[in-house]
PDB file of all heavy atoms in Angstrom:
ATOM      1  N   VAL B 252      -7.534   0.713  -8.936  1.00 94.00           N
ATOM      2  CA  VAL B 252      -7.281   0.448  -7.526  1.00 94.00           C
ATOM      3  C   VAL B 252      -5.787   0.405  -7.179  1.00 94.00           C
ATOM      4  O   VAL B 252      -5.374   0.741  -6.082  1.00 94.00           O
ATOM      5  CB  VAL B 252      -8.024  -0.874  -7.167  1.00 94.00           C
ATOM      6  CG1 VAL B 252      -7.211  -1.739  -6.260  1.00 94.00           C
ATOM      7  CG2 VAL B 252      -9.388  -0.571  -6.597  1.00 94.00           C
ATOM      8  N   ALA B 267       0.312  19.553   0.151  1.00 97.00           N
ATOM      9  CA  ALA B 267      -0.146  19.921   1.491  1.00 97.00           C
ATOM     10  C   ALA B 267       0.757  19.407   2.610  1.00 97.00           C
ATOM     11  O   ALA B 267       0.546  19.749   3.774  1.00 97.00           O
ATOM     12  CB  ALA B 267      -1.573  19.419   1.704  1.00 97.00           C
ATOM     13  N   THR B 275      -6.452  11.441   6.523  1.00 98.00           N
ATOM     14  CA  THR B 275      -7.627  10.737   7.029  1.00 98.00           C
ATOM     15  C   THR B 275      -7.720  10.840   8.540  1.00 98.00           C
ATOM     16  O   THR B 275      -8.804  11.048   9.099  1.00 98.00           O
ATOM     17  CB  THR B 275      -7.566   9.246   6.626  1.00 98.00           C
ATOM     18  OG1 THR B 275      -7.406   9.159   5.212  1.00 98.00           O
ATOM     19  CG2 THR B 275      -8.829   8.512   7.054  1.00 98.00           C
ATOM     20  N   LEU B 277      -6.513  13.221  10.556  1.00 98.00           N
ATOM     21  CA  LEU B 277      -6.951  14.569  10.931  1.00 98.00           C
ATOM     22  C   LEU B 277      -8.428  14.769  10.613  1.00 98.00           C
ATOM     23  O   LEU B 277      -9.169  15.380  11.390  1.00 98.00           O
ATOM     24  CB  LEU B 277      -6.109  15.627  10.202  1.00 98.00           C
ATOM     25  CG  LEU B 277      -4.665  15.778  10.686  1.00 98.00           C
ATOM     26  CD1 LEU B 277      -3.936  16.835   9.862  1.00 98.00           C
ATOM     27  CD2 LEU B 277      -4.621  16.152  12.172  1.00 98.00           C
ATOM     28  N   ALA B 339      -6.246  23.875  10.684  1.00 98.00           N
ATOM     29  CA  ALA B 339      -5.873  24.727   9.553  1.00 98.00           C
ATOM     30  C   ALA B 339      -5.211  23.893   8.461  1.00 98.00           C
ATOM     31  O   ALA B 339      -5.514  24.036   7.266  1.00 98.00           O
ATOM     32  CB  ALA B 339      -4.924  25.829  10.025  1.00 98.00           C
ATOM     33  N   ARG B 355      -7.845  13.998 -11.470  1.00 94.00           N
ATOM     34  CA  ARG B 355      -7.423  12.642 -11.827  1.00 94.00           C
ATOM     35  C   ARG B 355      -8.585  11.711 -12.113  1.00 94.00           C
ATOM     36  O   ARG B 355      -8.428  10.711 -12.797  1.00 94.00           O
ATOM     37  CB  ARG B 355      -6.555  12.045 -10.711  1.00 94.00           C
ATOM     38  CG  ARG B 355      -5.255  12.798 -10.521  1.00 94.00           C
ATOM     39  CD  ARG B 355      -4.245  11.952  -9.783  1.00 94.00           C
ATOM     40  NE  ARG B 355      -2.996  12.651  -9.538  1.00 94.00           N
ATOM     41  CZ  ARG B 355      -1.961  12.647 -10.414  1.00 94.00           C
ATOM     42  NH1 ARG B 355      -2.058  11.997 -11.563  1.00 94.00           N
ATOM     43  NH2 ARG B 355      -0.858  13.287 -10.117  1.00 94.00           N
ATOM     44  N   ASP B 358     -12.760  14.580 -13.927  1.00 92.00           N
ATOM     45  CA  ASP B 358     -12.695  15.219 -15.236  1.00 92.00           C
ATOM     46  C   ASP B 358     -12.836  14.233 -16.391  1.00 92.00           C
ATOM     47  O   ASP B 358     -13.121  14.629 -17.527  1.00 92.00           O
ATOM     48  CB  ASP B 358     -11.369  15.968 -15.393  1.00 92.00           C
ATOM     49  CG  ASP B 358     -11.377  17.284 -14.626  1.00 92.00           C
ATOM     50  OD1 ASP B 358     -12.429  17.609 -14.051  1.00 92.00           O
ATOM     51  OD2 ASP B 358     -10.346  17.965 -14.616  1.00 92.00           O
ATOM     52  N   SER B 362     -20.625  13.375 -16.859  1.00 85.00           N
ATOM     53  CA  SER B 362     -21.338  13.636 -15.612  1.00 85.00           C
ATOM     54  C   SER B 362     -22.529  12.718 -15.381  1.00 85.00           C
ATOM     55  O   SER B 362     -22.896  12.435 -14.242  1.00 85.00           O
ATOM     56  CB  SER B 362     -21.780  15.099 -15.549  1.00 85.00           C
ATOM     57  OG  SER B 362     -22.588  15.373 -16.672  1.00 85.00           O
ATOM     58  N   VAL B 365     -21.389   9.654 -13.469  1.00 87.00           N
ATOM     59  CA  VAL B 365     -20.852   9.785 -12.122  1.00 87.00           C
ATOM     60  C   VAL B 365     -21.768   9.170 -11.071  1.00 87.00           C
ATOM     61  O   VAL B 365     -21.331   8.419 -10.211  1.00 87.00           O
ATOM     62  CB  VAL B 365     -20.571  11.266 -11.777  1.00 87.00           C
ATOM     63  CG1 VAL B 365     -20.234  11.422 -10.301  1.00 87.00           C
ATOM     64  CG2 VAL B 365     -19.423  11.794 -12.615  1.00 87.00           C
ATOM     65  N   ALA B 376     -18.436  -1.047  -1.750  1.00 93.00           N
ATOM     66  CA  ALA B 376     -17.751  -0.605  -0.537  1.00 93.00           C
ATOM     67  C   ALA B 376     -18.472  -1.112   0.704  1.00 93.00           C
ATOM     68  O   ALA B 376     -17.838  -1.596   1.652  1.00 93.00           O
ATOM     69  CB  ALA B 376     -17.663   0.921  -0.508  1.00 93.00           C
ATOM     70  N   HIS B 377     -19.789  -1.016   0.671  1.00 93.00           N
ATOM     71  CA  HIS B 377     -20.567  -1.474   1.819  1.00 93.00           C
ATOM     72  C   HIS B 377     -20.302  -2.947   2.107  1.00 93.00           C
ATOM     73  O   HIS B 377     -20.053  -3.335   3.254  1.00 93.00           O
ATOM     74  CB  HIS B 377     -22.064  -1.255   1.575  1.00 93.00           C
ATOM     75  CG  HIS B 377     -22.937  -1.814   2.656  1.00 93.00           C
ATOM     76  ND1 HIS B 377     -23.063  -1.206   3.891  1.00 93.00           N
ATOM     77  CD2 HIS B 377     -23.685  -2.944   2.707  1.00 93.00           C
ATOM     78  CE1 HIS B 377     -23.868  -1.937   4.649  1.00 93.00           C
ATOM     79  NE2 HIS B 377     -24.259  -3.005   3.952  1.00 93.00           N
TER      80      HIS B 377
END
Side-chain angles (χ1 to χ4, degrees):
Chain B
V252 140
T275 305
L277 288 179
R355 296 199 182 271
D358 283 356
S362 58
V365 170
H377 175 75

